[in-house]
Structures are given as structure tokens and as C-alpha cells.
Amino acid sequence: MLDIKEIRRDPERVAKAVGRRGKEIDMKPFLEADEKSRQITVKVEELQAQRNAKSKEIGTLKRNGENADALMQEVSAINEEIKKLEAAKEADEKIVHDFIISLPNMPDDSIPDGGEDDYEVQRTWGEPRQFDFDAKAHWDLGESLNILDFNRAAKVTGSRFVFYKGLGARLERALISFMIDMHTDKHGYTELIPPYMTNSTSDFGTGQLPKFAEDMFHLENTDYYLIPTAEVPVTNYHRDEILSEKDLPVKYCAFSPCFRSEAGSAGRDTRGIIRQHQFHKVEMVKLAHPDHSWEELESLTHDAEDILQALGLPYRVIALAAGDIGFSSAKTYDLEVWLPSYNTYREISSCSNFVDFQARRANLRFRDADGKVRFVHTLNGSGLAVGRTLSAIIENYQNADGSITIPEALLPYMHGYTEIR
């Protein structure tokens, strides 16, 4: 959520910045309602002062045995006027509130203008493998090796679900453990196992609600939503708290299943495990000092890259354009892994700095050395999307005979298995 004081101070700048996302913002309804609300506040305070003065007069008259009917009628009229004004103010405040929570974050000046195709490549790592045989897609290899079962998952639940089976399930578990161990032992994150359901206050805090309700699974007759990512419960872990400056940055990592309706993605990635309604992900979350959040974004991104490098998977890092970043983000780097079946790079992690946008919604604060309470900056990144990592391993480590070699980094987690065949 943007700072209302900043919007009031320079609405044109805010509109221009948010407009970089590709949608023009009409500030007029907000400005008019905000001004009316503040004018009503002044008027109500004046009327309350008049009412209080007259109430004292009434008390004096009654103590002296005099008639106070006329003054009592005036107080009653003032109360009615205050009631009408407060109703009007409430309506104006709703316009202001709804406008503010509908505004996305302002893109940082460092990111490019444009949309989905206007990203900037920051760096690449590794060389895509050149096969001397006809390489197969992970869904074909997974089914032929009996480690991925899409048909029975469709029978049991529906489309965009999968059973991991045998060594496929073991490989998925190995990846989760490897990623968590890397982030805790090498990168210094504290591991959390979060709830897989959150309430609407938590989802509002990270920006999922109210705008993206259709992308989430809501549990009927409850205030609970299945989490779309561990970002939601982990970012809200310190909601409504005041942290100490000396404890920043706070660094958490968490494995969780993720649940997404994939609204609006009909026809996209219908095969394989690239876009599922349920998938596993290891998430990194940071609560950072505002003076250091940009360097924390760089280190967060490198922590995600470390996983891909350890697994020997070619990838690139791109800076998303202003029209392609998420609702709450000020700047996002996507890590894209090379997938032979697509003959291109596909997203496997998004690493974002939300500055104080989520912190304002979730009331995440810290007390600085001078005793001043300020909002933290929040950051998060996938470290990594587990199913997409598994699909990248299957495709990049496949052999001519249809087997899959296990990356060396995962061997300690595979209990003696060096390949899947």
C-alpha cells in the first residue's frame, strides 16, 4: 500500500509512476473524496466544540433551576448534523480506502518500461546442452520411467495435477531437502514450516486480496485461503509487530505446497508440471532495513542462483519491465532455467523487493537507533520452484537410453541412487 501522505503531496508523480505499468490512473475521485473527508472532519470538530459549550450551558441552567429546552433542542440539532456529516465522511473515506488499496506499487526507476517482452537480460550462466540424440520432454520421460503419473491424477482430482511416484517422489523430496539445507546452512536463513492456510488479513497484507481473489482457493464458510506461496504466511509472521533495528535483516526460508487456480492461464503449459494447481516451492523472505533493501535484493537473487549453479542447470537472470512486475513489487528479477523441450528459458524463480508496500498493509515495523518506528522493507524469492527444478533436471540430465542421471549435488539425498532408469 502506498503512503497516503505521498499521494497527497505529489499525486501527479504517483500517477505517472504507477502508469508505467501500462494503465492510466485517474486521481480525481480520490483527491475529491479525500478533500471532502478532511473538510468534514474540520466541520465535525467545530460542531462538537459548539455542542460541548452548549452542553455546559445546559448544565449551568439546570443547576440554577432555569429552563434549558431551547439549548437542548440546539444540541439535538447539532447531533443530527454531526450524524449526517459522519455518514458522508464514511462514504468518502471508503472511496479513499478502496482507491489506495487498489493501487499497485510504484515501479523502481531502475527497471525498464514496457511489458512482458521488454525485460533486460542481466546475466546468463552455463551453456544449454547440445544433445546427440532426440531429447524428450519431461512429461514423456516421466511417464516412460513411471515416476510421473498425470492420468491417474486427473482421475483422482482433475487436470493440472500429478502423482510423483517411486524415484520421482524421492527426487522431489531430495530437491526440497537440498534447497532448505543450502539456504539454512550456507545462506543463513532460519527455516519455518508455515500453515498452508491463511486468513484474509494475511492475504491482504501481502497483496493477494482483494485484487487477486480469483487466483486463490477459498475454503467455503471460513475466512481461510489455501496459500498460493509460503510468502504469505512467512511475511505475515511478524505482522503488527515492532522489530529491533539490530535484528535486521530477518531472513526466513520455508518449504510448502502452493495452491493456485491459474485463472486466466487457459491453454498455457497444459502438458507437464510447469503450471499446476498444486506444486511445491521453497521460499525465501527477508525483512530488511530500508537503507539496505536493494543490496538485500541482489543477495537474495544470488542465493537462488546458487541452487541452480550447484545443480549445474543453465539459466539467465532478467529484470522485468514495469508492466510485467507483480502488484506489490517495486522491482523483480526472474531466474529462467533452460528447458530443452521448450528450446528456451522458463521462469523458475522470481526475486522481488516490495520496499514498504507490503509492510504498510501488514503493519510490519522496526524501531531505529533514534527510537523512531519505521516500516521495514519486505523481499521474497523462490529458492526454487521444486517441480520446475525437477522438470529441468529430467530434461537436462537425460540420456540416450531414456535414463536420467542424478546431479552430483543431490546424491547425498538419494540413498545410493545415481540414476533413474
Side-chain angles (χ1 to χ4, degrees):
M1 188 160 60
L2 298 179
D3 184 355
I4 189 171
K5 294 178 181 177
E6 187 173 4
I7 302 174
R8 288 168 176 162
R9 183 168 54 247
D10 196 346
E12 291 185 6
R13 187 185 73 82
V14 173
K16 183 178 180 181
V18 175
R20 292 182 64 205
R21 290 173 171 270
K23 184 178 180 180
E24 186 175 341
I25 303 297
D26 183 6
M27 305 293 283
K28 186 177 179 181
F30 158 78
L31 293 172
E32 290 179 346
D34 186 52
E35 180 60 27
K36 283 169 60 181
S37 174
R38 289 193 284 171
Q39 288 177 355
I40 290 173
T41 297
V42 173
K43 180 63 175 175
V44 166
E45 289 174 351
E46 291 174 351
L47 288 172
Q48 288 172 336
Q50 293 177 26
R51 180 187 62 189
N52 293 340
K54 291 180 184 295
S55 294
K56 288 182 180 179
E57 289 183 49
I58 291 171
T60 301
L61 289 173
K62 286 185 174 181
R63 282 194 299 272
N64 295 333
E66 300 178 47
N67 189 305
D69 290 349
L71 277 176
M72 291 174 66
Q73 288 179 357
E74 290 180 26
V75 168
S76 178
I78 289 174
N79 283 333
E80 284 299 315
E81 180 65 17
I82 288 175
K83 186 177 180 180
K84 291 178 183 178
L85 287 171
E86 286 181 337
K89 180 184 175 183
E90 184 177 342
D92 288 326
E93 286 179 337
K94 185 178 187 307
I95 293 173
V96 170
H97 175 265
D98 291 349
F99 178 83
I100 291 176
I101 67 171
S102 73
L103 279 180
N105 204 353
M106 294 188 291
D108 187 68
D109 292 341
S110 67
I111 68 175
D113 289 326
E116 185 177 357
D117 299 324
D118 298 304
Y119 55 83
E120 291 180 351
V121 177
Q122 305 296 296
R123 54 189 172 273
T124 60
W125 187 91
E127 291 293 331
R129 180 181 169 187
Q130 302 299 313
F131 294 93
D132 56 6
F133 59 90
D134 291 334
K136 295 180 179 179
H138 68 272
W139 52 86
D140 290 328
L141 281 166
E143 289 181 325
S144 66
L145 291 168
N146 199 27
I147 60 173
L148 298 176
D149 193 330
F150 298 99
N151 291 330
R152 288 187 175 92
K155 175 184 69 176
V156 169
T157 309
S159 62
R160 297 187 188 247
F161 290 90
V162 65
F163 274 104
Y164 293 87
K165 186 177 180 182
L167 289 183
R170 185 180 291 272
L171 181 57
E172 181 90 350
R173 286 192 292 114
L175 281 167
I176 294 166
S177 295
F178 168 68
M179 292 174 186
I180 290 291
D181 286 350
M182 280 277 283
H183 292 316
T184 56
D185 298 345
K186 183 178 180 181
H187 301 146
Y189 292 80
T190 298
E191 181 181 3
L192 295 176
I193 297 178
Y196 301 153
M197 292 177 278
T198 47
N199 56 39
S200 59
T201 303
S202 296
D203 292 303
F204 174 83
T206 47
Q208 272 72 30
L209 292 180
K211 187 175 178 61
F212 301 104
E214 67 172 7
D215 294 324
M216 303 175 69
F217 288 107
H218 180 227
L219 278 65
E220 190 174 4
N221 299 322
T222 74
D223 187 40
Y224 298 155
Y225 292 80
L226 296 178
I227 61 171
T229 163
E231 169 200 350
V232 180
V234 176
T235 303
N236 280 276
Y237 185 69
H238 290 291
R239 189 179 76 227
D240 295 325
E241 296 180 18
I242 300 175
L243 303 174
S244 173
E245 183 177 46
K246 65 180 177 58
D247 294 328
L248 301 180
V250 174
K251 298 167 59 175
Y252 293 121
C253 68
F255 155 74
S256 78
C258 304
F259 306 92
R260 299 184 185 179
S261 71
E262 292 295 344
S265 66
R268 297 179 62 191
D269 301 313
T270 54
R271 304 196 67 183
I273 53 178
I274 298 299
R275 194 177 298 275
Q276 297 269 287
H277 290 307
Q278 174 189 309
F279 59 94
H280 294 146
K281 186 150 68 79
V282 171
E283 194 77 4
M284 303 174 291
V285 171
K286 289 185 179 184
L287 308 181
H289 193 289
D291 295 346
H292 305 296
S293 67
W294 292 112
E295 60 199 68
E296 293 295 344
L297 175 62
E298 299 301 322
S299 68
L300 180 86
T301 305
H302 285 296
D303 291 343
E305 290 181 74
D306 220 8
I307 301 292
L308 289 169
Q309 291 180 15
L311 294 172
L313 294 172
Y315 69 91
R316 68 179 183 181
V317 180
I318 63 173
L320 299 188
D324 196 31
I325 59 175
F327 177 80
S328 300
S329 176
K331 182 174 184 176
T332 296
Y333 292 123
D334 269 6
L335 276 62
E336 297 184 328
V337 69
W338 179 261
L339 283 181
S341 63
Y342 288 85
N343 195 36
T344 190
Y345 294 96
R346 293 301 306 268
E347 178 197 338
I348 198 167
S349 172
S350 284
C351 298
S352 301
N353 187 355
F354 306 105
V355 294
D356 62 358
F357 188 85
Q358 289 182 330
R360 290 181 181 278
R361 297 170 77 99
N363 200 27
L364 283 161
R365 298 158 295 164
F366 75 100
R367 193 181 305 277
D368 66 18
D370 297 324
K372 183 180 179 181
V373 176
R374 303 165 60 188
F375 288 106
V376 301
H377 281 190
T378 64
L379 305 92
N380 84 272
S382 311
L384 304 162
V386 183
R388 293 191 178 195
T389 308
L390 183 139
S391 66
I393 288 172
I394 291 174
E395 294 194 9
N396 285 283
Y397 280 88
Q398 63 179 291
N399 302 307
D401 64 357
S403 64
I404 300 164
T405 300
I406 304 298
E408 185 176 350
L410 295 180
L411 293 179
Y413 301 90
M414 289 298 292
H415 298 276
Y417 290 98
T418 60
E419 61 181 10
I420 300 174
R421 63 171 53 252

